[in-house]
Amino acid sequence: MFVLVAALLLLGVVLGAVAHLPLPVALTAAAVIGLWLAVFGVRERLARRTR
């Protein structure tokens, strides 16, 4: 339960910080994070398949 509360608190802080950024900067950061998560997912899938 504590982890869930901490995650929601962190999400609120991050969303509050993004609200103060210009839209192109926020969209660029979101694209970079999305790309990073996609690469991580592909690497994990390939690593799981070879085991």
Side-chain angles (χ1 to χ4, degrees), residues 1 15-16 19 22 26-27 33 47:
M1 185 69 170
L15 287 178
L27 291 177
I33 292 170

Side-chain angles (χ1 to χ4, degrees), residues 2-19:
F2 179 73
V3 174
L4 179 61
V5 172
L8 288 174
L9 180 64
L10 183 62
L11 178 66
V13 169
V14 169
L15 287 178
V18 169

Side-chain angles (χ1 to χ4, degrees), residues 13-37:
V13 169
V14 169
L15 287 178
V18 169
H20 296 287
L21 291 176
L23 186 60
V25 174
L27 291 177
T28 303
V32 168
I33 292 170
L35 180 64
W36 177 57
L37 288 173

